[in-house]
Amino acid sequence: MRKLAVVEFVTLDGVMQGLGGPDEDREGGFEYGGWSAPYGDQVLADRAGSGVGQTSAYLFGRKTYEHMAAHWPHESVDNPIAASLNATPKYVVTGTLRQLDWANSHILDGEVVQSVRDLKANGEGFITVLGSGVLAQTLFASDLVDTYQIMLHPLVLGTGKRLFGEFAHPLRLRLADCTPTTTGVLLLNYERDAKAAC
């Protein structure tokens, strides 16, 4: 059985929107796109590279998939992240797309929660979710996430889409690992604390 890992870059106030570039996601009038760029370093790059080796499938929401598909197929195969993303099966939760052009991409059919349960039940390694905030919140609420890999940036934006929404019950996690980068980002790895009472 595969585990599901959600990998997210967030600010101290939980914003995940538009981390990569100015025009990545301007929805809602968001003006701070590209906020993560000043915080990159070798520690962060090494962590990203180590994670791809365990990934046996990627899971995306439509918006994130379209953004990724416009970029990564054109990157060099010498880039380990590009090599993993391009070669590994990718599953997309979408109600609008009917054709996916990025190699090894598949539309995840059926009801989302059950489809993800079925995907987890078949195979080994990790199913990795990158970005995909709306999908991630559905996965959180349905208790489908095994590992939360949070890259917490020392930055407060005060506006933008946030990673966590509301929950019917508290979500209790256990810190499995914490690595600081040279730029003050904390690479946090949390696992669901099944023993904790809600």
Side-chain angles (χ1 to χ4, degrees):
M1 183 167 181
R2 291 191 276 203
K3 291 187 175 182
L4 193 145
V6 170
V7 179
E8 304 289 354
F9 291 70
V10 299
T11 64
L12 205 56
D13 54 341
V15 175
M16 62 177 296
Q17 183 174 359
L19 66 104
D23 297 317
E24 181 180 330
D25 183 356
R26 290 187 176 270
E27 190 174 330
F30 188 71
E31 299 178 357
Y32 302 114
W35 53 264
S36 72
Y39 298 98
D41 74 347
Q42 193 58 48
V43 178
L44 189 56
D46 290 345
R47 174 62 63 90
S50 68
V52 299
Q54 300 177 5
T55 298
S56 61
Y58 289 96
L59 178 61
F60 296 111
R62 178 190 56 82
K63 289 181 183 178
T64 300
Y65 173 82
E66 289 181 320
H67 177 74
M68 303 281 274
H71 175 77
W72 288 106
H74 310 291
E75 288 292 306
S76 169
V77 292
D78 295 333
N79 180 325
I81 296 173
S84 174
L85 282 166
N86 290 324
T88 304
K90 293 165 283 293
Y91 296 89
V92 184
V93 176
T94 176
T96 57
L97 297 179
R98 295 292 171 256
Q99 180 177 335
L100 306 176
D101 296 327
W102 191 5
N104 300 308
S105 295
H106 313 276
I107 293 173
L108 194 64
D109 293 321
E111 192 272 328
V112 174
V113 172
Q114 188 57 52
S115 295
V116 173
R117 284 193 180 113
D118 294 343
L119 199 59
K120 287 181 69 174
N122 295 295
E124 298 178 353
F126 279 85
I127 301 167
T128 299
V129 179
L130 302 175
S132 307
V134 174
L135 171 61
Q137 290 182 7
T138 298
L139 300 173
F140 300 156
S142 302
D143 195 23
L144 288 169
V145 180
D146 299 291
T147 303
Y148 297 74
Q149 296 177 17
I150 308 295
M151 285 52 162
L152 185 63
H153 291 61
L155 173 67
V156 175
L157 292 178
T159 185
K161 299 174 189 174
R162 286 171 168 76
L163 177 59
F164 292 102
E166 296 183 6
F167 290 87
H169 303 284
L171 175 64
R172 301 192 187 278
L173 305 174
R174 179 182 65 82
L175 181 64
D177 182 55
C178 175
T179 303
T181 72
T182 62
T183 61
V185 177
L186 294 180
L187 309 181
L188 303 168
N189 187 4
Y190 288 99
E191 296 175 353
R192 182 65 192 263
D193 190 350
K195 297 179 182 177
C198 293

